[in-house]
Amino acid sequence: MKKTIKALKPSFVFLLIIVSFIACDRDFNAIDSDVLGKGNSNFSTGIDTISISAYNRKLSSLQVNNLAGNLLGIYNDPDYGLTTASIITQVIPTTFSPDFGVNPVIDEVVLSIPYYSRAIDVDENGNTTYALDSIYGNPDAEIKLTVYQNNFFLRDFDPNTTNNSAQNYYTNTDSNENSAISGSNTINFDEHIGEKILEHVFKPSADAIVTTTGTGDDETEARSVPALRVVIENNDFWKTAILDKQDDPELSNSNNFKNYFRGLYFKVEEAVANDGNMFLVNLATSNANIIIHYTSGEIDDRTESTYTLTFSGNRLNTFINDYNKVTFPTTPNKDLGDETLYLKGADGSMAVVDLFGKDDVGLEAFLRAYRQTDDSGDYITDNTSGNFILKKLINEAHLEIYEDDGMLTNPVAENGDSYHKYDRIYAYDIDNNASTFDYQIDQTDNTQNAVISKTVSLSFRDSISPTAGKYKIRITEHLNNILLRDSTNTKIGLVLSTNVNLTNNAEILNSPDEVTGIPAAAIITPRGTILHGSNSSNEDKKLRLKVFFTEPN
């Protein structure tokens, strides 16, 4: 397809560029005037559709400590099956060497874990109405949460290293138990439980938390963001574990305390078979805590006080996956690519995109098509910049990806929206475990709402027929770096993410191939989708690379 265009007026070029940004969720055909050169007034545009290889990579042994958030609950994915997420976390006092006073008595112990929420309205009395974010699954389903004292010590440092590297913990989902891998050891946390502290059946609520203090005319009311807030009916445990340790070395510093009180195990189970909901929590915030309310002093002079424990120490997730609705390919086709691609979070699966094949024949053909050569067939470089001179300029290049609606249970109602409406596909450089250069220069980042962040490099999921379920992953600068600067042709990983702003990677333990890390954002979403692969039998929707170019006549 070629279209010849005569010289354009500058105002029209500017308008065309603006329109191309507005229409960033449609096919790009932007014209970059810098490519034309001073003497070129006639040029043509075209599109190259390039076949590539994209294949599945099943994930396991993923690093699950030091994540940006933690999943808690049960999620029944309609296309994959059931995932159960539990949490093991240390607890740390906010103050050490406390003085609890004379005859301290615990009044109540309160566990608070805020949900991710946002204010959507404020009434005339100043009361805020909230909506919950990062809730997955059936919002009306309950889950059973049991909290135990954890007796397994979560180390800060790996004793098998010489440079005091942090101790990492990895998923062990094939075991069908709440366990993790640490080095060569497997830890089943059910074998390290202490006293049961709490048993609670609940479902997340968007209601603000209302607390009252005082009585009668002195009563005051305070409202705070929605949270899992539970009064722990086990005062004797906390008196023995905390208050009775006053003046003992266990409460004198953080290291002593972590060795003495090794943390809590938040174990999740089904309240109803094959149903539940899951939510993302930020245990690192100071608002996530356990507050011990107590009174102390002489009989006629009692004082109310609090002692606070936070979850600011080591934390990790465990996942139990029952993927009974899908069978992952055991032998990916790395030459032609797979027919179907499976993207699933929480220790699920990803896709690997090899743009030009392992033997570099495709890469050489691409270079020959876009670089200028001399009479000997050698590539010509610019004497000033050292860059290669191009005969065709890439205006836009993206991976065109479609959901496989024949494989998906779609649509499924979730929270009133189409099930896949807010899915985002995150692309990263596998060789360097880093975001793509197109992502890095994308100025459309939105730190407040990841759903509408990085929409040029990662785009939205198209929801308009006939291209509903279409994604575009922009790799313009990735290809330009290869053409102009001879950058390495790195493979690209595709994962499903609900927060494309999170770019740090999690390590894969003893990886057998080039995929040594995965974006941590893909671990803290339980969601999944199924895509047409590069070897799909559907020619209209198979995964391809589209390159929009300008070529002087």
Side-chain angles (χ1 to χ4, degrees):
M1 182 188 83
K2 287 194 175 182
K3 179 172 65 174
T4 302
I5 304 175
K6 298 300 181 180
L8 298 175
K9 294 182 180 180
S11 59
F12 182 69
V13 174
F14 178 75
L15 177 62
L16 188 59
I17 293 172
I18 294 298
V19 171
S20 72
F21 277 105
I22 295 174
C24 66
D25 198 38
R26 300 295 173 192
D27 282 342
F28 293 90
N29 199 14
I31 297 175
D32 187 338
S33 59
D34 291 341
V35 182
L36 300 179
K38 295 181 180 179
N40 293 321
S41 58
N42 297 322
F43 59 92
S44 60
T45 62
I47 303 174
D48 282 336
T49 301
I50 302 174
S51 296
I52 59 177
S53 171
Y55 52 89
N56 290 284
R57 170 56 156 88
K58 182 69 179 71
L59 296 170
S60 61
S61 301
L62 307 181
Q63 181 185 339
V64 283
N65 60 302
N66 297 325
L67 299 174
N70 293 98
L71 291 171
L72 186 67
I74 293 176
Y75 178 67
N76 194 355
D77 188 285
D79 302 306
Y80 288 86
L82 208 67
T83 294
T84 303
S86 299
I87 297 174
I88 294 86
T89 177
Q90 291 178 324
V91 292
I92 310 295
T94 56
T95 58
F96 295 99
S97 300
D99 181 359
F100 295 121
V102 178
N103 300 321
V105 175
I106 293 179
D107 300 317
E108 66 176 8
V109 180
V110 181
L111 166 69
S112 295
I113 302 177
Y115 304 121
Y116 281 97
S117 62
R118 52 190 166 84
I120 58 174
D121 190 28
V122 179
D123 66 19
E124 58 186 12
N125 297 318
N127 296 324
T128 303
T129 300
Y130 296 92
L132 297 185
D133 296 323
S134 301
I135 302 290
Y136 308 99
N138 180 0
D140 296 320
E142 294 181 324
I143 61 173
K144 178 184 175 182
L145 173 66
T146 307
V147 181
Y148 298 95
Q149 185 178 10
N150 167 49
N151 289 331
F152 183 84
F153 182 64
L154 299 176
R155 291 191 298 253
D156 292 323
F157 302 105
D158 186 348
N160 296 317
T161 62
T162 58
N163 57 351
N164 287 330
S165 296
Q167 178 67 66
N168 288 332
Y169 297 87
Y170 304 87
T171 57
N172 187 35
T173 51
D174 294 337
S175 65
N176 198 35
E177 60 191 16
N178 285 308
S179 61
I181 299 172
S182 173
S184 59
N185 300 318
T186 299
I187 310 139
N188 182 351
F189 290 101
D190 285 319
E191 297 175 352
H192 298 275
I193 58 175
E195 185 170 343
K196 180 192 293 186
I197 296 171
L198 171 69
E199 187 172 300
H200 184 53
V201 177
F202 75 104
K203 59 183 178 181
S205 170
D207 294 338
I209 299 298
V210 180
T211 56
T212 58
T213 56
T215 58
D217 294 338
D218 295 329
E219 182 177 288
T220 60
E221 181 180 283
R223 297 170 64 89
S224 57
V225 298
L228 168 60
R229 186 179 187 276
V230 188
V231 175
I232 303 175
E233 304 288 348
N234 195 340
N235 291 351
D236 289 343
F237 170 83
W238 296 101
K239 183 178 186 304
T240 300
I242 303 298
L243 268 61
D244 290 351
K245 290 295 180 179
Q246 177 177 307
D247 299 328
D248 288 350
E250 286 86 344
L251 301 188
S252 63
N253 60 61
S254 176
N255 288 335
N256 286 354
F257 185 85
K258 287 189 291 186
N259 187 54
Y260 155 65
F261 194 100
R262 298 188 171 186
L264 298 176
Y265 171 18
F266 289 77
K267 182 177 181 177
V268 171
E269 298 171 281
E270 295 171 273
V272 178
N274 297 316
D275 203 1
N277 63 72
M278 183 178 290
F279 51 96
L280 185 70
V281 296
N282 179 10
L283 291 177
T285 176
S286 60
N287 294 324
N289 53 46
I290 294 173
I291 299 180
I292 302 172
H293 298 262
Y294 67 95
T295 55
S296 61
E298 301 297 339
I299 296 177
D300 57 350
D301 187 22
R302 303 287 287 174
T303 301
E304 295 181 352
S305 303
T306 60
Y307 192 68
T308 301
L309 305 168
T310 67
F311 306 103
S312 56
N314 292 326
R315 298 175 303 278
L316 62 93
N317 255 126
T318 63
F319 298 114
I320 298 176
N321 292 328
D322 182 12
Y323 294 148
N324 54 16
K325 300 178 182 180
V326 67
T327 301
F328 293 99
T330 56
T331 307
N333 187 338
K334 295 186 178 183
D335 293 327
L336 300 177
D338 288 331
E339 180 174 1
T340 306
L341 299 177
Y342 299 89
L343 305 190
K344 179 69 171 70
D347 199 18
S349 62
M350 61 173 287
V352 176
V353 177
D354 191 349
L355 294 175
F356 301 110
K358 59 185 179 181
D359 54 8
D360 284 340
V361 173
L363 176 60
E364 183 61 26
F366 176 71
L367 297 178
R368 289 286 169 185
Y370 280 80
R371 285 180 182 171
Q372 287 191 22
T373 57
D374 58 21
D375 294 338
S376 301
D378 295 327
Y379 298 122
I380 304 172
T381 57
D382 182 275
N383 292 331
T384 302
S385 65
N387 292 341
F388 290 97
I389 299 176
L390 304 183
K391 57 184 176 184
K392 291 197 294 187
L393 172 87
I394 295 179
N395 303 316
E396 174 66 28
H398 60 250
L399 299 173
E400 188 173 85
I401 308 171
Y402 283 90
E403 288 173 355
D404 190 337
D405 50 13
M407 296 286 291
L408 292 171
T409 307
N410 188 32
V412 174
E414 182 185 78
N415 301 332
D417 296 320
S418 176
Y419 179 75
H420 294 283
K421 181 177 180 180
Y422 298 111
D423 285 357
R424 302 290 301 277
I425 294 178
Y426 178 83
Y428 75 108
D429 175 347
I430 283 178
D431 292 16
N432 299 297
N433 284 325
S435 56
T436 65
F437 189 63
D438 290 85
Y439 177 100
Q440 296 169 25
I441 65 172
D442 188 345
Q443 297 299 308
T444 62
D445 54 314
N446 187 315
T447 58
Q448 302 301 313
N449 188 352
V451 172
I452 56 175
S453 186
K454 298 294 184 179
T455 55
V456 170
S457 58
L458 301 180
S459 83
F460 295 110
R461 173 190 179 275
D462 201 338
S463 59
I464 302 174
S465 182
T467 58
K470 175 183 175 182
Y471 301 83
K472 289 187 294 187
I473 305 299
R474 186 176 186 264
I475 56 170
T476 308
E477 297 308 317
H478 180 84
L479 294 185
N480 277 331
N481 281 335
I482 293 173
L483 289 173
L484 292 169
R485 303 170 188 88
D486 219 18
S487 297
T488 302
N489 172 34
T490 60
K491 293 180 180 179
I492 295 173
L494 302 179
V495 298
L496 191 72
S497 173
T498 53
N499 190 341
V500 298
N501 289 332
L502 301 177
T503 60
N504 59 309
N505 272 38
E507 181 185 348
I508 298 177
L509 179 64
N510 299 326
S511 173
D513 56 26
E514 71 273 18
V515 183
T516 59
I518 183 174
I523 301 177
I524 57 176
T525 175
R527 294 179 63 85
T529 192
I530 302 175
L531 311 170
H532 284 282
S534 58
N535 201 21
S536 173
S537 57
N538 188 326
E539 286 295 324
D540 293 331
K541 292 188 175 182
K542 69 191 306 181
L543 194 156
R544 293 185 176 94
L545 170 61
K546 281 195 171 181
V547 180
F548 297 75
F549 64 85
T550 299
E551 182 177 21
N553 291 332

